Amino acid sequence: MKRCIGLLLILPSISHAEVIEEWECKDWTGNWNNIIVRAFVNEGRLSGRIEVAGVGHKTEYAVNGFNRRWDFGLAEDQTYNYAFIVEPNGNASYYDFTRESKAKASMHLKCREAPNRVARGL
């Protein structure tokens, strides 16, 4: 019985990766009080999460060249339906590939690393 309890105490920490980086994004002309998207990078830098309007999406995360990229919405052919890309200068673009495989960005945002995480050194 003790072994089962110990295993149950370990499982929650395995299933929840620690967030090591957080980005917040606003409308290009908006102010930082109106955050539209939050993007998170998990420990190991292979996965993350995107939150928009109270809805969260688990993502695959990668750094492609200089850009940070979150892919989500796994399709039947094992490609992703959506991508969110943040450039080093904070310019961000959202792509929806459900209609075309070579989509143009349907949304442009301005992002910054979340100030509260930067202040804590995370």
Side-chain angles (χ1 to χ4, degrees):
M1 184 68 165
K2 289 181 182 179
R3 188 176 287 172
C4 289
I5 292 172
L7 183 60
L8 290 175
L9 293 174
I10 293 170
L11 285 177
S13 63
I14 293 171
S15 65
H16 183 70
E18 181 183 351
V19 172
I20 60 169
E21 197 172 312
E22 178 183 346
W23 290 79
E24 56 185 25
C25 309
K26 66 177 184 75
D27 183 66
W28 193 258
T29 59
N31 66 52
W32 290 108
N33 292 326
N34 297 322
I35 301 302
I36 297 171
V37 174
R38 291 194 187 278
F40 303 89
V41 178
N42 293 335
E43 187 174 29
R45 298 190 177 277
L46 298 175
S47 65
R49 190 173 77 250
I50 294 283
E51 292 180 357
V52 181
V55 177
H57 303 277
K58 290 182 181 180
T59 69
E60 182 177 298
Y61 172 79
V63 175
N64 297 126
F66 291 156
N67 298 335
R68 290 167 164 79
R69 180 177 176 134
W70 290 261
D71 290 295
F72 56 103
L74 191 61
E76 289 180 16
D77 65 357
Q78 300 302 303
T79 61
Y80 288 97
N81 288 325
Y82 312 101
F84 186 71
I85 299 172
V86 177
E87 298 174 16
N89 63 3
N91 293 343
S93 302
Y94 167 73
Y95 297 87
D96 180 344
F97 301 107
T98 58
R99 296 191 180 125
E100 297 179 41
S101 62
K102 292 186 178 184
K104 292 183 180 178
S106 60
M107 183 184 290
H108 297 280
L109 301 164
K110 188 68 176 176
C111 301
R112 68 180 182 187
E113 210 166 341
N116 59 341
R117 296 192 73 79
V118 172
R120 294 191 316 238
L122 298 177

